[in-house]
Amino acid sequence: MSCNEHVAILGAGIGGLTLALSLHQAGIPCKVYEAVQELKPLGVGVNLLPHAVRELSELGLLSALDAVSVRTKEAVFFTEHGQLVFNEPAGAAAGYDWPQFSIHRGDLQTVLLAAVQERLGQDSVVCDHRCVDVTQDANGVTVSFVDAAGRPRENIQAAVAIACDGIHSVVRKKLYPNEGAPRYSGVNMWRGVTRWQPILSGASMIRAGWLSIGKMVIYPIRNAIDEQGRQLVNWVAELESEQPAQRDWSRAGRLEDFLPVFENWKFDWLDVPALIRAADSILEYPMVDQDPLPRWTHGRITLLGDAAHPMVPRGSNGAGQAIIDARCLAGWLKREGVSPQALESYDKERVPATTNVVLTNRKTPPDAILREVYERSGGKRFDNLEEIVSRSELQSISDRYKRVAGYDPAQLKNRPSFL
Ligand SMILES: Cc1cc2nc3c(=O)[nH]c(=O)nc-3n(C[C@H](O)[C@H](O)[C@H](O)COP(=O)(O)OP(=O)(O)OC[C@H]3O[C@@H](n4cnc5c(N)ncnc54)[C@H](O)[C@@H]3O)c2cc1C
């Protein structure tokens, strides 16, 4: 493979694998270098909203994803008393040409990896290659790696290097050595997956409560997992905490740190503490992000996904924005050739767009609906919601976020394909 057109993708997460598939679609050679020795289906649930599903559908992955996910039909918001605040249809049920998928992150990564290996070849993803440095000159980049034991591996040469190496990106650190610590939002999250009977419609994305008193996000990610017709149900408990948890996706959490807050959440539609207690395992993670960067592209090197724009997970957009970055970048590389100019064009398009998402996630993501109702009701039960807040006001919070994140129905339908 000539290094004049070879793209080195650093990291085989959601963004890196989507980029490999998109470059293959564009006829551009690439290889993915991943730090871990073996890719295992880690994490819990993620949501793919219609703008991201459109991209995966243009990669021919719709039926593979359908087989391992739930097509989400509605978004529903409740108070901590279990009172309904707001609901709206989601995905195909809302009239989009593409569904919303709720899916286990591991299943999403597995579907992407299988497609990469099938289309680009088994050797297109190399594990046990932790990138430790990237340098560049006028002709290309040189990437250095170590193995799991820290021993140096052979350097590779490529035309450009795309850092898809996630929240602890070494390439971002190299480009921005003086960047401050991640910004803690004051909230920690405990995440789990429980085998449970379908809740509400069986395809509902539920958000309830508010951060200062405890908030839950609950949605199914796999249908009919056993003879009783149970689903895999993903849940996240979010709670204000003085100390941030460690920024480690696989860190185990403890029930006693958050369950007491939700002990009384026994609604006629769900026994929340029972759902939490029945979890297979529990992980904890801090709600952190980083201030948006002024640019990601430096010559022949650029950033993508969480390496570029880590965001607080309040808008179901972390995986989605990584997928859109990948598609956008592949489009520019196809149109402008594998060159610094193409990385520059990608930067110009995606830095402002994702900056807006990162900042909106801090202040007015969709769950701001819950904040409005909590603050105006003083956390008390209400008889008539309309006396507190109008439906149109809540709808406008949701609609505004769709425009910022890129899944406003008309905007999405009319946007040309990236590739
Ligand atoms: C183990 C794990 C579990 C996760 N669980 C969840 C979850 O439950 N919920 C959620 O919303 N998000 C989760 N995420 C994050 C989520 O995947 C991302 O927010 C989002 O999908 C954007 O994807 P990304 O490709 O930018 O980053 P990621 O999907 O995080 O992928 C980054 C990849 O780069 C690899 N990598 C890191 N450093 C190097 C290096 N120096 N050299 C080469 N490769 C490197 C990592 O091993 C990883 O495979 C998890 C990420 C990981 C890695």
Side-chain angles (χ1 to χ4, degrees), residues 108-407:
L108 171 60
Q109 192 181 25
T110 302
V111 166
L112 294 170
L113 179 64
V116 171
Q117 289 177 329
E118 190 191 313
R119 297 176 194 182
L120 284 78
Q122 287 295 326
D123 62 352
S124 56
V125 180
V126 257
C127 284
D128 203 9
H129 276 66
R130 179 173 296 280
C131 163
V132 285
D133 197 13
V134 190
T135 55
Q136 61 180 317
D137 60 25
N139 301 317
V141 296
T142 302
V143 189
S144 328
F145 301 96
V146 295
D147 67 10
R151 289 179 299 242
R153 288 194 171 274
E154 204 177 315
N155 292 348
I156 64 112
Q157 319 283 324
V160 296
I162 317 300
C164 309
D165 51 346
I167 50 168
H168 300 293
S169 170
V170 296
V171 181
R172 180 179 177 126
K173 281 195 194 96
K174 178 172 166 109
L175 298 176
Y176 291 94
N178 300 320
E179 196 183 7
R183 179 183 169 281
Y184 177 49
S185 69
V187 173
N188 279 326
M189 301 178 289
W190 289 265
R191 306 170 298 134
V193 175
T194 304
R195 291 151 209 273
W196 203 257
Q197 288 296 336
I199 304 162
L200 299 177
S201 69
S204 305
M205 169 143 189
I206 300 163
R207 281 167 270 209
W210 178 239
L211 295 169
S212 52
I213 47 152
K215 184 189 143 205
M216 290 292 303
V217 181
I218 303 165
Y219 54 88
I221 52 174
R222 190 70 98 90
N223 284 319
I225 52 160
D226 58 22
E227 283 157 10
Q228 297 140 269
R230 291 189 302 175
Q231 297 177 306
L232 269 192
V233 175
N234 181 81
W235 53 262
V236 188
E238 302 172 0
L239 190 60
E240 284 186 353
S241 318
E242 273 177 26
Q243 282 297 321
Q246 265 185 38
R247 204 180 183 207
D248 170 359
W249 287 116
S250 303
R251 186 168 173 86
R254 300 183 314 171
L255 267 183
E256 59 269 36
D257 289 340
F258 69 101
L259 183 59
V261 170
F262 300 97
E263 207 59 88
N264 296 326
W265 287 37
K266 293 179 183 169
F267 311 134
D268 52 5
W269 49 272
L270 178 65
D271 182 333
V272 173
L275 176 83
I276 294 173
R277 279 202 182 86
D280 291 349
S281 63
I282 295 169
L283 301 170
E284 71 169 8
Y285 194 77
M287 204 182 263
V288 287
D289 66 8
Q290 279 164 253
D291 284 331
L293 294 174
R295 58 162 44 243
W296 307 334
T297 294
H298 295 253
R300 295 178 171 274
I301 303 168
T302 197
L303 308 173
L304 185 152
D306 277 1
H309 48 69
M311 58 183 70
V312 293
R314 288 174 59 192
S316 311
N317 256 273
Q321 295 298 325
I323 288 166
I324 292 167
D325 290 347
R327 301 289 292 162
C328 172
L329 175 57
W332 283 114
L333 289 167
K334 185 179 175 189
R335 285 187 296 278
E336 299 195 324
V338 179
S339 61
Q341 293 90 292
L343 303 195
E344 204 60 49
S345 301
Y346 156 73
D347 189 290
K348 281 207 175 69
E349 183 169 344
R350 292 300 295 157
V351 170
T354 55
T355 294
N356 215 356
V357 180
V358 169
L359 298 180
T360 305
N361 275 16
R362 285 182 185 174
K363 288 196 173 136
T364 40
D367 72 9
I369 287 175
L370 298 173
R371 179 184 62 212
E372 286 309 307
V373 174
Y374 174 72
E375 288 181 352
R376 294 187 202 192
S377 66
K380 297 199 181 74
R381 286 177 186 275
F382 50 77
D383 294 326
N384 181 2
L385 180 65
E386 282 283 330
E387 286 172 5
I388 299 170
V389 60
S390 68
R391 179 171 171 95
S392 63
E393 204 178 329
L394 299 182
Q395 185 72 58
S396 70
I397 296 174
S398 174
D399 291 347
R400 178 172 176 269
Y401 189 75
K402 289 175 193 151
R403 287 192 294 277
V404 167
Y407 65 103

Side-chain angles (χ1 to χ4, degrees), residues 43-47 102-105 191-193 219 221 234 236:
V44 286
V46 294
N47 261 281
S102 297
I103 186 169
H104 194 290
R105 179 195 175 271
R191 306 170 298 134
V193 175
Y219 54 88
I221 52 174
N234 181 81
V236 188

